[in-house]
């Protein structure tokens, strides 16, 4: 569907793939056990230069989406709020 929908739908697919990647990396064993471990894993994710994931249309936009979603989680982790609203991919 993204192929037929053009750039707008491809961007939505890249955004969803970025969120999926961040969530998959943060749901590994031991990462979410403590707030400090979670924050450290997010910091390590943000320190990476580039991100490789399947089903990505535009690498630059995908990297930008990964960084923005990771920064959003960093803010949430600092205040320890809004996690009840992300029980599923947005």
């Amino acid at each position: 569907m993204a192929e037929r929908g053009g750039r707008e739908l491809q961007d939505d697919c890249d955004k969803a793939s970025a969120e999926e990647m961040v969530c998959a990396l943060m749901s590994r064993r031991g990462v979410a056990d403590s707030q400090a471990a979670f924050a450290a894993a997010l910091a390590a994710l943000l320190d990476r230069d580039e991100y490789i994931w399947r089903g990505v249309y535009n690498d630059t936009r995908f990297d930008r989406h990964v960084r923005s979603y990771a920064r959003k989680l960093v803010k949430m982790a600092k205040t320890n709020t809004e996690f009840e609203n992300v029980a599923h991919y947005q």
Side-chain angles (χ1 to χ4, degrees):
M1 185 166 188
E3 291 293 328
R4 288 179 271 144
R7 184 178 176 104
E8 182 178 318
L9 290 181
Q10 288 178 355
D11 188 49
D12 288 346
C13 287
D14 286 347
K15 189 179 290 187
S17 294
E19 184 176 343
E20 178 187 5
M21 181 187 136
V22 172
C23 290
L25 292 174
M26 294 302 114
S27 65
R28 291 179 303 179
R29 183 181 310 246
V31 172
D33 290 345
S34 70
Q35 191 171 359
F38 189 68
L42 285 170
L45 181 65
L46 284 170
D47 286 341
R48 289 171 57 176
D49 288 334
E50 55 183 27
Y51 306 96
I52 299 172
W53 198 250
R54 66 194 175 325
V56 175
Y57 290 97
N58 185 311
D59 291 333
T60 305
R61 285 188 305 196
F62 177 74
D63 289 354
R64 185 175 60 236
H65 291 314
V66 169
R67 291 183 194 286
S68 69
Y69 192 70
R71 282 192 299 268
K72 176 182 174 182
L73 285 178
V74 166
K75 288 179 188 177
M76 291 168 58
K78 284 182 182 178
T79 60
N80 203 20
T81 58
E82 298 182 33
F83 283 103
E84 62 276 357
N85 296 334
V86 291
H88 54 84
Y89 294 138
Q90 295 179 15

